[in-house]
Amino acid sequence: MLDVRRLHMLKTVAARGSIAAAAQSLALSAGAVSQQLSALRRDVGVDLLRPDGRTVALTDAGRVLVEHAERILTAVQEAENAVAAVKGTVGATATLAALPSTVARIVTPALRQLGSQHPQLTVTCLVTDQAQLRELTLGAVDVVLGQRYHHMADTTPQGIDVSPLLDDPLVVVTAADQADERPLALRDLATHSLVVPPPTTDCGQAILHACHQAGFTPTTRYLTADIAAQLTLARAGLATALVPRAAIDPSTPGIRMTPIADRPILRLLFAATRHTETPNPTTTAVTAALRTAAERGHTAHVPTIRGSVTATGRGSW
C-alpha cells in the first residue's frame, strides 16, 4: 500500500525541483527525504525521479504518480476535515503566511483573539511577501493573508478559496510641512519624485501600471519595498511615497497622508485556504479572526484620512 507521507514528499520534490529544497520545506534532512523516496520507488517498482542538471525531474511514471497523489492527498484532507467537522472543535496547530504590512493592524489582533477564544490552538506565523499562494497549494501553510490589486489581473491558482477581508487604498505620503491641502489626483504625481517598491514586486507593478493608466511614467527617485524606509524618506522631504493605509500608524507626527481623489489604487486583502468540500474548523477560525481584525482596524483608521502618520514596522508589502 502506498504511504501518503511519501506521496506528499514526491509532490513536494516535484514542485520544489530538488530534494534539498523539498527537505527544507518539509523541515527534514535531505537524507531522510531521499530514504523515503527510495522506499516509495521500491513500493511501485519503477524510477520516479531522474537527474536534471543540478535538480531532479519526474520520470513518466513519476508524473503519473504525482497526478494520482494530488487526488489522494485531497481525499485525505477531505476526510480529516469531515472528522474535524463532526467533532466541532478547532485543532491544535495552524500555519499562517502573512504580508509584513498586515502584521500590526490585522495579524497581531487576530492572534490575540485566537489565543483567547481557542487557547489550545498554536498558530505559527510566517511573515513573507514571496510565493504565499504557491506555499498554500503545496500544503506548506494552512492560511494565507494575501493581497491583490483591483486593476491588475487575478492570478489566484485553481483549488484556492479566497475570502475578502478589506479594500485597502494606497495613500500619498509626504512630509507634513510640504503637504498640499487640496485633494490629489493620481496625475498630479507626475511632478513628484517618488519612492516606490521595485517593479518586480506586486505593489511596484501595481503602482507603475496605475500611473501608466493615468497617462504618465512616474519619476522614481528611490526603490525599496521597506515601508519604514519609504516613510522615512517622505518624512525627510526627499520623496513622495504611496503606501497602503492599513500599514500606517496615524499617531506619530511628521508625515501627512492624502487619498488619491480620482483613480484610487486599491489592494484587496484576503484570507486564502485550500479548497475543500467540507470546511475545516481550524482554518475557518483563523479566517474569522483575520476578518474581525480587518474590520476593526478599518473602522479605527477611517477618521484619519488626513493627519500625521508613521510606519507600523520595518516590513515590506
Side-chain angles (χ1 to χ4, degrees):
M1 181 178 296
L2 295 176
D3 188 300
V4 172
R5 293 171 299 175
R6 292 170 183 165
L7 291 176
H8 178 58
M9 287 183 186
L10 180 65
K11 174 188 172 184
T12 304
V13 169
R16 303 291 185 186
S18 72
I19 291 176
Q24 183 178 10
S25 171
L26 297 168
L28 297 170
S29 68
V33 173
S34 293
Q35 290 176 3
Q36 292 300 314
L37 292 178
S38 294
L40 181 59
R41 189 258 179 232
R42 291 193 297 271
D43 289 341
V44 298
V46 64
D47 288 335
L48 302 171
L49 297 168
R50 59 175 176 81
D52 186 16
R54 295 184 178 181
T55 62
V56 293
L58 294 171
T59 64
D60 290 342
R63 282 192 292 272
V64 169
L65 188 55
V66 166
E67 291 175 1
H68 285 277
E70 293 278 1
R71 294 191 289 272
I72 292 169
L73 293 170
T74 298
V76 170
Q77 181 68 66
E78 292 286 358
E80 291 174 345
N81 289 352
V83 172
V86 171
K87 290 168 59 180
T89 58
V90 171
T93 62
T95 302
L96 167 67
L99 297 163
S101 60
T102 66
V103 170
R105 295 192 171 275
I106 300 178
V107 174
T108 298
L111 293 179
R112 287 176 178 164
Q113 177 181 330
L114 288 167
S116 174
Q117 295 179 344
H118 307 287
Q120 82 285 1
L121 175 62
T122 299
V123 180
T124 299
C125 186
L126 306 177
V127 180
T128 173
D129 56 359
Q130 297 296 325
Q132 295 178 16
L133 293 180
R134 181 169 179 266
E135 299 303 304
L136 184 61
T137 61
L138 293 175
V141 299
D142 302 306
V143 182
V144 166
L145 174 48
Q147 67 181 4
R148 179 177 67 81
Y149 287 86
H150 282 281
H151 65 291
M152 304 294 286
D154 184 359
T155 58
T156 304
Q158 291 185 347
I160 299 297
D161 287 337
V162 171
S163 178
L165 300 176
L166 175 67
D167 274 335
D168 185 27
L170 270 61
V171 293
V172 178
V173 182
T174 55
D177 59 357
Q178 296 181 3
D180 195 326
E181 292 299 325
R182 64 188 177 88
L184 279 173
L186 184 59
R187 188 68 178 79
D188 294 336
L189 297 183
T191 61
H192 289 231
S193 294
L194 302 182
V195 51
V196 296
T200 54
T201 63
D202 289 344
C203 42
Q205 290 179 16
I207 291 173
L208 186 63
H209 189 61
C211 292
H212 287 167
Q213 286 182 328
F216 71 99
T217 298
T219 301
T220 301
R221 183 68 60 83
Y222 305 96
L223 282 176
T224 176
D226 187 317
I227 290 177
Q230 292 177 24
L231 296 184
T232 297
L233 290 166
R235 181 185 296 110
L238 296 173
T240 297
L242 283 165
V243 180
R245 189 174 66 189
I248 301 175
D249 183 346
S251 64
T252 302
I255 294 176
R256 175 166 299 185
M257 61 179 180
T258 305
I260 298 171
D262 61 336
R263 293 173 175 265
I265 304 174
L266 291 175
R267 66 169 185 169
L268 170 67
L269 294 178
F270 58 79
T273 56
R274 289 182 296 279
H275 174 76
T276 56
E277 295 299 325
T278 304
N280 181 293
T282 303
T283 57
T284 297
V286 173
T287 298
L290 292 173
R291 179 177 296 106
T292 298
E295 291 172 351
R296 290 175 177 172
H298 174 67
T299 301
H301 214 82
V302 166
T304 61
I305 294 297
R306 295 178 64 91
S308 299
V309 300
T310 189
T312 57
R314 292 194 57 80
S316 59
W317 295 26

